Each structure stands twice: as structure tokens, then as C-alpha cells.
Amino acid sequence: MSDPYAVLRIADFRFYISARFCVTLAIQIQGVVVGLQVYYLTKDPLALGLIGLAEAIPSIVVSLYAGHVADVVNRKKIIVWCMSTLVLCSSLLLFFSTGVGLFLDKFGVIPIYSVIFISGIARGFLTPANFSFMPQLIPRELFQGAVTVNSTIWETASIAGPAVAGILAAKLGLTIAYSVDVFLTVVGLMLVFAVSNKPLPPDEGEHQGMIDKIKVGLDFVFTNKIVLAAISLDLFAVLFGGAVALLPIFAEEILHVGEVGFGALRAAPSIGALLMAFVLMHNPIRRNMGRLLLWCVTGFGFCMIGFGLSTWFWLSLFLLIASGAFDCVSVIIRTTLLQTLTPDSMKGRVSAVNNIFIGSSNEIGMFESGVAARAFGTAPSVVFGGCVTVAVVGTISWFGKSLRRLQKVS
């Protein structure tokens, strides 16, 4: 049996995941606090959805170019600049919350959306740089272990973030919560500086222009049936199946559990994902990867249907935990496929396409949830999204035979 902790003996990887932990924790705290602040100011579910749209639009617009940049520019340098921008954005949100300026009184939530827009640009460049930088820190045979550890770290931060944010907002106020967000982002930036610089991998297409390189990355994704099917599954699951943007409404109007309960609901999917990641760290997926991926996305869809129908807090909490466990398996399989099947010199561009499909669909999914909730009601919109997810799995399973038959990658 392979050592599940072998990857943690690599110093650069430890600094890298520690930085990601701090920044992810900061982003989760910020997401919860921004959602609460916008909802308090507007009492409008569509306004919550617009938070996601404000971040997704710039991220999508810059993604393909950002992927190209990640393949031709030192990846650590990109990460440092992006994280510096996130520090600036967090500081601005802190400033807006103090009341020393009258931005929110005069302009409403527009200043908040503006900052989120800027952070969306930074995260659009950060995602492909992170994706392509991590494999440079570890040997190839540790890819799945590194993906699992990375997911574990991310989920741990995702659990702590909403819970901490809920407590801070309820007990100490939004300004203190934003202050913690700024502090963690700065610590993450400092940890990135501790990671060694790594040279870019050799590029067989170094004489190609930017447009041609981007086309090569797109061709790789759209001609590789396994990669395309895996990405498409997560795209529709995240786009239609998520309920995160509507959790403030569920907490206050349906489940009646207040801010602390909202923090628990927000953390619940990550609790399930963390438990599953720990299981997979000690029991790596070795066969039937394709079928397992299909079943887990189906399970995620049914969890969302049940959550939309539930009016009992503990059942809702359990369903969100289960959805996180299913989603964790999906993320690990998809990321392992991308890391293993993509050439090193192309990882930035392929990750950019993946970010358009998956990363930005989180934010667009928030917008879709807000629109659907306003049109059909909060609970019916979540049930509908879960049904769409299950239907998409059936369609991809029928047409994506190569994914269904996939055993493992090496």
C-alpha cells in the first residue's frame, strides 16, 4: 500500500498547500460575509445571485488568455501578483464595512460588486497558474495523492470559513470578519514567497503565436472524450445543482436557524467532502473511475432534490453533508484526469478551459439560483436544479461510453 502522506514530505508542497489553506479560508469568510451584507442591504435573492455573476464574468473573459500566460510566464510570479490583488480587494471590502466612507450609503451594493469584479479578474489568472504550478512541485506518481491532500486542505478551509464567518458576523460584526479575511490573505501571500521558483517545462509549440496556442489547448479538451465528458458533468452539476447562493434565505425563511445555523449549512458540504477526502487519502481510487464519477454526480443531484424539499434543519444539514461527499469524489477524479492526461506545457491552457466550465460555473450557478428563486420560489428552484443534474448524468452516461468504461489513469 502506498504512503498517503508521502507528498507532505516535500517542503515546497507544504508551503504551497499552507498558502492555499489561508487564502481559501479567507475567500470562504469573505463569501459568507459579503452574502450576508448584500442580503441585509437588499433582501433580494437576485442580489445574492449577482455576486456570483460579478465574479464570473471577468473570470471567464480573461480565462483563455490567463491559461496562455500560465504556460509562458513564471507561474509563481503570476500567483504572487494575483494574491497581491486579492489582498487589495479584501482591504477595500474592509474599508467599505467600517463606515468611515459613505460608499454603501450613497451607491448601495455597487462598490461591493466592483471589488468582486476585480477579484474575479485575479482569480481568473490565479486558477490556471495554481493548477499548472502544483505538478511542478511533486513527482508524477504522487499526482493523485497530491490532488487528494489539496482537496482535503481546501475542504478543511471551506468548513472552517463559513463557521468562523457566521460566528464573527453574529458576535463581533462584519468589520472584524473582514479584518480576519485581510489577515489570512496576507499570510497566504507570505507563504507563497517561501515556495521555490520552478522553470517552465519545455514547450514543443514555442514558435506558435498566442492564438494558435490557445486553439491547441481548446482542441485538446474538445477532442479528448474522457476529459470533455468529465468536465461537462461537473459543469451542469455546479451550474444547476448548487444551492449555496440561496442558503441565507433557507436559513432565515425556511429553516429559521439564524446566522449561526447559516454558517453550519454553508459548512455542511465541506464537512462531507473532508470526510470523503480523508477516506480517499487512505484508499485511493484504483478502478471503475468512470462509473464512480457518474454515480457520485447522480447522488449529488438527488441530495439537492431532497434539500429543496426539506423543512427540517437536521435533514437539510445531512443532505448537504452527503452532497459534499459525492462532490469530493467527482472533483478528485476530474482533477486527477486533467493532471495526468494533460502535457505539462499545456496545463495552463487546459486548466483555463476547465475554469470556464467549472470554476466560473460556480458563480454563474449562483446567478442562475437567484433568477430561478425569484421566478419559481426558493425551494422549487433547488428541486428543479437537482432534477436537471440527474438528467444530465443520464445523457452523458448514454453518449459518453469512453468515460463510463474508464477504469483508471496512470
Side-chain angles (χ1 to χ4, degrees):
M1 181 177 178
S2 59
D3 181 0
Y5 302 103
V7 70
L8 293 175
R9 296 191 179 94
I10 301 172
D12 280 338
F13 184 75
R14 291 198 303 271
F15 284 125
Y16 171 81
I17 61 172
S18 297
R20 290 212 69 190
F21 174 80
C22 290
V23 174
T24 302
L25 185 60
I27 289 172
Q28 292 295 319
I29 291 173
Q30 179 179 300
V32 171
V33 179
V34 166
L36 287 171
Q37 188 174 23
V38 168
Y39 187 61
Y40 291 156
L41 291 169
T42 66
K43 296 294 182 181
D44 185 355
L46 182 58
L48 293 174
L50 287 172
I51 298 172
L53 193 64
E55 186 166 34
I57 288 177
S59 183
I60 290 174
V61 169
V62 304
S63 278
L64 292 178
Y65 176 68
H68 164 72
V69 171
D71 286 335
V72 298
V73 176
N74 182 282
R75 290 155 178 174
K76 178 183 172 180
K77 184 182 295 185
I78 298 171
I79 294 171
V80 167
W81 277 105
C82 291
M83 289 181 62
S84 299
T85 304
L86 293 180
V87 170
L88 172 63
C89 291
S90 298
S91 301
L92 286 172
L93 290 172
L94 170 61
F95 174 73
F96 294 155
S97 73
T98 60
V100 295
L102 300 177
F103 294 98
L104 301 187
D105 291 337
K106 185 174 182 179
F107 299 106
V109 295
I110 292 176
I112 296 176
Y113 289 146
S114 300
V115 172
I116 297 301
F117 186 91
I118 296 170
S119 70
I121 296 175
R123 292 174 71 177
F125 280 90
L126 182 61
T127 297
N130 268 329
F131 182 89
S132 51
F133 188 52
M134 188 182 77
Q136 293 188 271
L137 306 177
I138 54 175
R140 183 182 178 87
E141 61 269 17
L142 296 180
F143 275 5
Q144 185 174 344
V147 169
T148 306
V149 170
N150 192 46
S151 296
T152 304
I153 292 296
W154 191 91
E155 299 299 351
T156 303
S158 297
I159 292 171
V164 170
I167 294 171
L168 290 174
K171 304 298 182 182
L172 301 175
L174 299 181
T175 298
I176 297 298
Y178 279 129
S179 299
V180 174
D181 171 27
V182 174
F183 172 76
L184 289 169
T185 310
V186 171
V187 172
L189 177 60
M190 295 300 101
L191 286 166
V192 168
F193 280 113
V195 181
S196 303
N197 275 305
K198 302 294 179 182
L200 288 172
D203 184 4
E204 296 179 358
E206 61 180 340
H207 300 299
Q208 294 176 319
M210 180 185 72
I211 301 299
D212 290 333
K213 285 189 173 185
I214 291 175
K215 286 181 179 179
V216 170
L218 289 169
D219 288 343
F220 176 85
V221 172
F222 287 100
T223 58
N224 190 309
K225 295 180 180 179
I226 293 176
V227 170
L228 181 60
I231 290 178
S232 299
L233 270 177
D234 267 17
L235 166 66
F236 288 102
V238 171
L239 187 60
F240 293 103
V244 171
L246 303 178
L247 287 182
I249 304 174
F250 273 95
E252 182 169 322
E253 299 180 9
I254 296 176
L255 302 174
H256 309 291
V257 291
E259 291 171 332
V260 175
F262 164 65
L265 290 172
R266 182 71 184 264
S270 294
I271 292 174
L274 177 62
L275 294 173
M276 181 58 70
F278 184 79
V279 171
L280 294 178
M281 186 183 297
H282 294 83
N283 300 277
I285 301 169
R286 303 188 186 279
R287 59 190 180 90
N288 295 324
M289 295 183 77
R291 289 190 178 185
L292 185 59
L293 176 61
L294 291 165
W295 279 113
C296 284
V297 179
T298 301
F300 176 85
F302 279 117
C303 285
M304 289 299 99
I305 293 172
F307 177 78
L309 296 173
S310 172
T311 57
W312 183 34
F313 172 72
W314 293 106
L315 175 59
S316 298
L317 194 68
F318 170 78
L319 289 168
L320 288 176
I321 291 172
S323 74
F326 286 125
D327 186 53
C328 176
V329 179
S330 171
V331 168
I332 288 175
I333 291 176
R334 174 174 52 82
T335 307
T336 302
L337 286 173
L338 288 174
Q339 290 285 16
T340 306
L341 298 178
T342 306
D344 289 340
S345 62
M346 200 185 297
K347 278 185 164 63
R349 284 163 285 170
V350 172
S351 173
V353 178
N354 179 64
N355 185 45
I356 293 174
F357 271 72
I358 309 302
S360 296
S361 65
N362 282 282
E363 285 73 34
I364 295 178
M366 290 175 66
F367 176 68
E368 181 273 333
S369 296
V371 172
R374 173 178 277 191
F376 307 115
T378 302
S381 69
V382 174
V383 173
F384 172 75
C387 291
V388 171
T389 300
V390 173
V392 168
V393 174
T395 302
I396 291 179
S397 178
W398 179 263
F399 291 103
K401 294 181 180 179
S402 56
L403 177 63
R404 191 172 69 242
R405 295 171 180 170
L406 177 68
Q407 290 295 311
K408 60 180 293 187
V409 291
S410 57

